[in-house]
């Protein structure tokens, strides 16, 4: 075997830790180097080669890795904003006013009748955003009502739309209602709902729908001649009880009724009309306009606002030269009965912030002057008449209050006492409906005059309501014009009369008068 050849000793590469220590202390560095040299020289050659190769591989790997991101800079630091922050842009959250998922249980006045309503397509009203006010649809009106006080230079004052629905039984009893009268309203609303036509409308010939003749005493007018009057009259008791197409057990019934009202509109040169064929068209239009305005005022639904304004525009355009309304548009001679429905519609529209021009309001007051008798305490049917009646006087006095008479007006006081002295009628529900509103608004639902009237009429209506069979919850008694209106007409009037406690706000109280509202 030949002697091994002398080869140079490979350079010694110190581990990183040793190198770091050597940089810190030269003496430690020489000592470590000597120790490391001993280890290398004393180790087998294959071990030394393995160690060197491992070091080379590690160095190559470190050299080829990409540089790591500066995590501390990216995650912990943020660049300053170049824009000024506006704290007003952020919505403040008030935890005290946060709405919780659980809601307080309310006393419900109406029975559940969800099973009565057919499944219908998504409402054209449901998804619309309510407008806070309504001013863009017509250039006829000049001054909508103020949102807080229902009175301004137009001369309108009195009845508001904020007193409807969902009062406690104790509050209703305080105003003059009772558990029995509320039960009568519940049964009435159920009966009206059960007699809705499949297309959502009602007709005064109620037997043409699901009733199938089980309830007697329909209107003696044709079904097609009373669609608009029937639909408007049927909707008003639901609205009077606080039921709308957005809220309440009857919202499907009301929604379908309002959709039917929209389909029944007829375009006119100005606005739209809901006039039924025949001489009663002015009545059906006024009733429909009230229903649309009330529904809009309660919900703010912009589609309903458009329809209601169109109905009001037609009333404005139909006013006669004497300031009144009658069977035909612009009839030169108005009558008190037709005028009553139109003035109620204008009042409801005004309170819903629709546009009603002052000249129309002034014209209505001018007409009432022509039919006023006995210093404004009584009213006739036509300006040429001298015969007054409790019904006509009730209509005239209610319109006077709508148009600005306050409770201190001596003619109003005397006229209201005359009505109270006559007392309720056994069969004239039209008179009872108007007279109840006059006395409730005049007395504010307080005092001996109101208690006497209310108790007598409330108990009479409860006793006259049908309590058995398919007619349960409805009303019909023989009387003048009752056969023309029929059972649906009488049921609607009776229900609205029983709803007087929460249908309208009693604004003729001392504090309201003392504020000196302008007339």
């Amino acid at each position: 075997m030949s002697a091994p050849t002398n080869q140079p000793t490979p350079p010694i590469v110190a581990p990183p830790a040793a190198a770091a220590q050597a940089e810190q202390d030269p003496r430690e560095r020489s000592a470590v180097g000597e120790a490391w040299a001993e280890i290398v020289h004393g180790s087998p050659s294959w071990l030394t080669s393995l160690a060197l190769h491992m070091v080379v591989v590690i160095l190559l790997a470190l050299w080829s890795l990409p540089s790591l991101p500066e995590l501390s800079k990216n995650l912990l630091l943020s660049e300053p904003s170049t824009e000024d922050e506006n704290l007003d842009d952020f919505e403040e959250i008030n935890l005290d006013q946060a709405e919780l998922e659980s809601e307080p249980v309310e006393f419900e006045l109406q029975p559940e009748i969800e099973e009565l309503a057919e499944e219908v397509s998504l409402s054209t009203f449901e998804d619309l955003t309510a407008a806070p006010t309504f001013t863009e649809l017509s250039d006829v009106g000049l001054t909508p009502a103020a949102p807080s006080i229902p009175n301004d230079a137009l001369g309108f004052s009195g009845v508001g739309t904020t007193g409807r629905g969902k009062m406690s039984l104790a509050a209703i009893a305080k105003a003059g209602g009772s558990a029995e009268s509320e039960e009568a309203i519940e049964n009435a609303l159920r009966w009206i709902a059960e007699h809705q036509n499949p297309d959502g409308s009602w007709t005064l010939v109620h037997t043409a729908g699901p009733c199938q003749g089980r309830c007697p005493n329909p209107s003696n007018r044709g079904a097609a001649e009373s669609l608009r009057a029937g639909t408007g009259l049927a909707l008003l008791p639901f609205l009077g009880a606080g039921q709308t197409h957005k809220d309440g057990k009857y919202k499907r019934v009301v929604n379908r009724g309002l959709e039917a009202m929209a389909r029944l509109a007829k375009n006119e040169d100005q606005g739209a009309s809901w006039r039924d064929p025949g001489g009663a068209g002015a009545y059906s239009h006024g009733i429909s306009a009230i229903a649309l305005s009330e529904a809009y005022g309660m919900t703010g639904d912009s589609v309903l606002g458009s329809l209601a304004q169109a109905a009001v525009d037609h009333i404005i355009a139909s006013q006669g030269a004497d300031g009144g309304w009658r069977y035909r548009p612009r009839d030169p001679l108005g009558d008190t009965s037709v005028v009553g429905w139109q003035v109620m519609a204008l009042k409801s529209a005004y309170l819903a912030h629709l546009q009603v021009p002052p000249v129309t309001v002034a014209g209505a007051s001018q007409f009432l002057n022509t039919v006023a008798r006995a210093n404004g305490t009584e009213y006739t049917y036509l300006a040429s008449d001298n015969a007054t009646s409790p019904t006509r006087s009730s209509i005239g006095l209610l319109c006077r209050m709508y148009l600005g008479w306050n409770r201190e007006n001596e003619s109003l006081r005397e006229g209201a006492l005359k009505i109270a002295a006559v007392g309720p009628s056994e069969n004239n529900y039209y008179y009872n409906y108007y007279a109840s509103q006059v006395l409730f608004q005049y007395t504010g639902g307080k005092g001996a005059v109101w208690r006497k009237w209310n108790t007598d009429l409330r108990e009479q209506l409860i006793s006259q309501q049908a309590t058995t069979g398919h007619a349960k919850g409805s009303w019909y008694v023989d009387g003048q014009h009752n056969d023309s209106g029929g059972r649906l007409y009488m049921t609607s009037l009776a229900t609205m009369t029983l709803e007087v406690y929460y249908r309208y706000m009693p604004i003729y109280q001392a504090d309201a008068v003392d504020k000196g509202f302008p007339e």
Side-chain angles (χ1 to χ4, degrees):
M1 174 180 290
S2 58
T5 59
N6 294 328
Q7 296 179 351
T9 304
I12 299 173
V13 179
Q21 289 178 348
E23 289 176 0
Q24 296 175 0
D25 191 339
R27 288 175 298 177
E28 291 182 4
R29 178 179 58 188
S30 60
V32 171
E34 293 176 0
W36 182 251
E38 272 186 37
I39 293 173
V40 171
H41 287 293
S43 300
S45 60
W46 62 268
L47 181 60
T48 301
S49 176
L50 177 62
L52 290 173
H53 281 84
M54 288 180 63
V55 171
V56 171
V57 169
I58 292 172
L59 291 174
L60 290 174
L62 292 174
W63 178 77
S64 62
L65 287 175
S67 60
L68 296 176
E70 299 181 27
L71 294 180
S72 62
K73 177 179 179 180
N74 290 344
L75 297 181
L76 302 180
L77 302 178
S78 60
E79 295 295 329
S81 174
T82 58
E83 297 180 0
D84 294 332
E85 292 184 359
N86 186 357
L87 296 180
D88 293 336
D89 294 336
F90 295 91
E91 181 178 358
E92 181 180 356
I93 300 176
N94 188 346
L95 296 180
D96 294 335
Q97 299 178 355
E99 294 184 2
L100 303 179
E101 292 184 1
S102 60
E103 297 180 354
V105 177
E106 293 184 347
F107 178 77
E108 295 288 355
L109 302 180
Q110 288 79 35
E112 178 66 58
I113 65 152
E114 290 289 344
E115 69 276 8
L116 297 177
E118 298 178 5
E119 292 293 330
V120 295
S121 59
L122 183 65
S123 166
T124 56
F125 304 114
E126 287 289 351
D127 297 330
L128 296 170
T129 302
T133 58
F134 191 86
T135 58
E136 73 277 15
L137 292 179
S138 170
D139 58 0
V140 176
L142 300 177
T143 309
S148 58
I149 301 176
N151 187 310
D152 69 1
L154 282 175
F156 272 138
S157 66
V159 181
T161 58
T162 57
R164 298 185 183 83
K166 295 188 177 177
M167 289 175 65
S168 68
L169 188 57
I172 293 171
K174 184 177 180 180
S178 66
E180 292 77 16
S181 67
E182 290 303 297
E183 182 180 3
I185 293 173
E186 293 175 5
N187 292 333
L189 295 180
R190 178 182 290 274
W191 184 89
I192 295 172
E194 289 176 341
H195 288 76
Q196 186 177 30
N197 293 326
D199 66 351
S201 67
W202 284 267
T203 175
L204 297 183
V205 185
H206 59 267
T207 55
C211 178
Q212 295 299 306
R214 287 178 286 174
C215 297
N217 311 112
S219 169
N220 58 15
R221 301 177 59 200
E225 297 178 358
S226 61
L227 269 172
R228 295 167 182 83
T231 303
L233 278 171
L235 284 171
L236 285 174
F238 291 106
L239 299 172
Q243 300 283 320
T244 72
H245 67 290
K246 293 185 175 182
D247 182 55
K249 294 179 186 288
Y250 294 92
K251 64 182 179 182
R252 291 184 183 178
V253 174
V254 175
N255 185 79
R256 294 170 63 217
L258 291 172
E259 289 183 330
M261 290 285 287
R263 294 193 303 270
L264 291 170
K266 297 186 291 185
N267 290 329
E268 300 287 348
D269 293 338
Q270 184 171 338
S273 79
W274 279 261
R275 290 175 176 266
D276 282 328
Y283 289 96
S284 66
H285 181 80
I287 292 167
S288 299
I290 295 170
L292 292 169
S293 296
E294 296 279 278
Y296 171 61
M298 295 172 70
T299 65
D301 192 311
S302 58
V303 169
L304 292 177
S306 176
L307 294 171
Q309 185 67 63
V312 170
D313 288 348
H314 182 67
I315 293 176
I316 295 167
S318 300
Q319 189 174 31
D322 64 348
W325 292 266
R326 208 175 182 187
Y327 302 136
R328 298 182 303 275
R330 293 173 294 280
D331 195 311
L333 298 175
D335 73 63
T336 304
S337 184
V338 173
V339 165
W341 291 108
Q342 315 310 310
V343 170
M344 279 197 291
L346 293 174
K347 177 66 177 185
S348 179
Y350 168 79
L351 293 171
H353 311 300
L354 298 174
Q355 296 182 19
V356 180
V359 65
T360 302
V361 177
S365 293
Q366 174 186 327
F367 168 80
L368 290 173
N369 291 338
T370 67
V371 294
R373 302 291 184 269
N375 197 30
T377 63
E378 301 176 16
Y379 291 82
T380 65
Y381 181 63
L382 299 173
S384 57
D385 292 344
N386 288 319
T388 62
S389 72
T391 300
R392 298 162 188 169
S393 297
S394 297
I395 297 171
L397 289 171
L398 184 62
C399 289
R400 289 293 200 185
M401 284 195 286
Y402 284 150
L403 298 172
W405 279 15
N406 60 44
R407 64 182 304 177
E408 295 179 350
N409 185 288
E410 182 60 26
S411 295
L412 175 59
R413 186 193 70 81
E414 185 178 343
L417 291 178
K418 286 183 178 181
I419 291 173
V422 173
S425 170
E426 289 285 336
N427 57 12
N428 189 342
Y429 284 20
Y430 191 55
Y431 159 69
N432 290 339
Y433 169 65
Y434 275 102
S436 292
Q437 293 186 71
V438 169
L439 292 176
F440 182 73
Q441 296 303 329
Y442 176 71
T443 64
K446 300 176 182 178
V449 171
W450 170 250
R451 286 197 299 271
K452 168 65 173 169
W453 170 275
N454 175 69
T455 301
D456 291 348
L457 181 54
R458 184 191 66 203
E459 298 308 308
Q460 173 192 307
L461 289 176
I462 293 172
S463 67
Q464 290 177 331
Q465 188 179 37
T467 57
T468 59
H470 197 256
K472 179 180 178 180
S474 64
W475 280 270
Y476 186 85
V477 294
D478 291 330
Q480 186 179 14
H481 305 305
N482 291 351
D483 55 349
S484 178
R487 186 173 292 271
L488 178 66
Y489 158 82
M490 297 195 68
T491 299
S492 296
L493 289 179
T495 308
M496 288 190 287
T497 301
L498 290 174
E499 291 172 345
V500 70
Y501 318 114
Y502 48 94
R503 178 171 169 75
Y504 295 119
M505 283 284 288
I507 59 86
Y508 293 105
Q509 299 178 3
D511 57 348
V513 175
D514 292 342
K515 291 179 181 179
F517 292 163
E519 295 186 4

